[in-house]
Amino acid sequence: AELLLGTGTPTSVVERVCETAEGNPLYLEQLTAMLADQGLLLDGRWVGTEDADVEIPVTLQALLTSRFDRLEPATRLVLERASVEGRRFRVPALLALAPEVEPVQVEAAIASLDRRGLVHPEDEAAGRWRFAHALVSEAAYRRLPKELRADLHERLADWIAQVDADQPDVDESVARHLERALRFREELGWRDVDSDALAARAGELFASAGTRASAALGLITSRDLLGRAVALLPAGSPRRLDILPNLGVALTETG
């Protein structure tokens, strides 16, 4: 903790941090970044006063929430929308999910998040980034209301279907986002023709991906994908009846 907090950090602060962190390295990393955000740490040195009023959030969730709340609105929006794709996200996908933010603002927001240690470049030239930790991504995602999550997952599914059409796992990727959109709609009590269409589309895509996995003898993957397809397709659907034998084989062979 002393190494992360830098030289000259008051003993009282170090002791409070150690007691709260309980050895969690992610907490220490994010707290250090928060103190830098507040201007108390600079280049590994304590630059605050000896008796500075230091906020020490008691949990990692509270710490991340505090850091997110300090972000500029556009930067916070970019952070939250990026989390919809997962721990790893692509700038073009982010632009599709945040059309209300100008591309130049998105770039500035990502640069700001990078400086704060919340995201890191994976392939900056290709526009590929990742969150500093899965818990950071999850904390950002939880800030989105369910209604918005449902909409964003459906929009992302449409974007992936177009941009990644030549990728071998595109059906599964699209289906998983449609499935999540459907789940949030159901949690909100929205069961209508749009939900039925989402379920049918996701089920068909899972069925296609599962059938390919079955043909390649990927039985565990096939079991998962075909099981999802069966759960989503209507009971009397010919497609559902068509894939049940393959699901039965996968279940039997995997015990």
Side-chain angles (χ1 to χ4, degrees):
E2 291 183 45
L3 290 175
L4 279 173
L5 290 173
T7 58
T9 303
T11 302
S12 60
V13 174
V14 174
E15 290 176 349
R16 287 170 59 203
V17 168
C18 289
E19 180 180 354
T20 306
E22 296 183 338
N24 186 330
L26 178 60
Y27 180 95
L28 291 171
E29 176 187 300
Q30 291 297 317
L31 181 65
T32 301
M34 186 191 78
L35 294 175
D37 291 344
Q38 296 174 354
L40 298 174
L41 284 177
L42 179 64
D43 297 329
R45 294 182 298 104
W46 180 264
V47 293
T49 61
E50 181 70 24
D51 58 349
D53 184 17
V54 181
E55 173 194 1
I56 308 292
V58 296
T59 65
L60 178 59
Q61 179 65 40
L63 170 55
L64 291 173
T65 296
S66 176
R67 294 204 68 202
F68 295 166
D69 287 344
R70 292 174 181 273
L71 297 172
E72 292 293 323
T75 302
R76 187 165 56 248
L77 184 146
V78 166
L79 177 78
E80 294 168 358
R81 300 292 173 89
S83 70
V84 176
E85 191 170 8
R87 184 177 179 187
R88 288 173 170 79
F89 64 93
R90 292 170 286 181
V91 173
L94 180 53
L95 291 171
L97 295 177
E100 63 268 54
V101 183
E102 294 293 329
V104 65
Q105 290 181 292
V106 171
E107 292 179 6
I110 292 175
S112 176
L113 295 171
D114 185 20
R115 288 193 300 273
R116 288 171 165 80
L118 293 169
V119 303
H120 301 301
E122 194 162 80
D123 185 345
E124 192 169 356
R128 294 180 178 273
W129 291 75
R130 61 181 172 82
F131 282 87
H133 194 280
L135 293 177
V136 177
S137 172
E138 291 171 9
Y141 184 74
R142 283 196 294 269
R143 295 172 67 91
L144 295 167
K146 289 182 179 180
E147 180 178 354
L148 182 55
R149 289 186 214 176
D151 176 61
L152 292 174
H153 278 293
E154 188 174 354
R155 284 159 56 186
L156 182 57
D158 291 337
W159 183 86
I160 292 173
Q162 292 184 359
V163 175
D164 294 341
D166 59 344
Q167 297 299 311
D169 62 346
V170 63
D171 285 350
E172 180 183 349
S173 297
V174 172
R176 289 187 183 277
H177 284 290
L178 293 175
E179 183 185 46
R180 297 194 79 175
L182 179 64
R183 188 184 79 215
F184 289 123
R185 290 177 66 88
E186 290 178 338
E187 289 179 3
L188 290 165
W190 299 352
R191 189 68 201 194
D192 50 24
V193 292
D194 291 334
S195 295
D196 292 340
L198 278 178
R201 183 183 172 196
E204 177 60 38
L205 291 169
F206 274 132
S208 297
T211 300
R212 283 195 296 273
S214 179
L217 299 181
L219 294 174
I220 294 178
T221 300
S222 176
R223 180 190 65 192
D224 173 58
L225 298 176
L226 293 178
R228 290 173 180 267
V230 166
L232 290 166
L233 293 169
S237 164
R239 181 60 161 152
R240 186 176 187 274
L241 297 174
D242 182 53
I243 63 176
L244 280 172
N246 284 338
L247 176 58
V249 171
L251 289 168
T252 301
E253 293 298 326
T254 58

